[in-house]
Amino acid sequence: MKLIDGIMGDTYHVEVIDLPVQTERRLQALGMTEGTSVTVMNKKKRGAMVIKVRGTRFAVGKHIAEHIHIEEVQGR
């Protein structure tokens, strides 16, 4: 499943980040690594999303959200 398909309010684990190296490193610097929990806080109509990673909220665009693969957290 891709992050863009996530449902508002749900929490997921990052499986794979499939982005150019520079963008991937930027996300890693912000704390988004494989296995990290991500909560979808808000979704905009054009694809931008507000997510919460390690206690910090930030926005990602549609192009970035389409290249982050996630899995749903079991046992919420």
Side-chain angles (χ1 to χ4, degrees), residues 9-63:
D10 285 356
T11 301
Y12 304 93
H13 285 294
V14 176
E15 287 184 326
V16 177
I17 300 173
D18 184 28
L19 288 163
V21 176
Q22 184 177 0
T23 307
E24 187 173 343
R25 298 259 164 106
R26 177 75 50 100
L27 291 175
Q28 289 174 349
L30 293 169
M32 184 184 288
T33 57
E34 293 178 8
T36 302
S37 294
V38 175
T39 303
V40 178
M41 304 298 287
N42 198 356
K43 289 177 74 172
K44 302 293 182 179
K45 291 181 183 180
R46 293 190 178 184
M49 305 178 76
V50 177
I51 58 175
K52 188 173 188 178
V53 178
R54 298 183 187 255
T56 304
R57 291 174 20 155
F58 60 94
V60 294
K62 180 180 179 181
H63 177 74

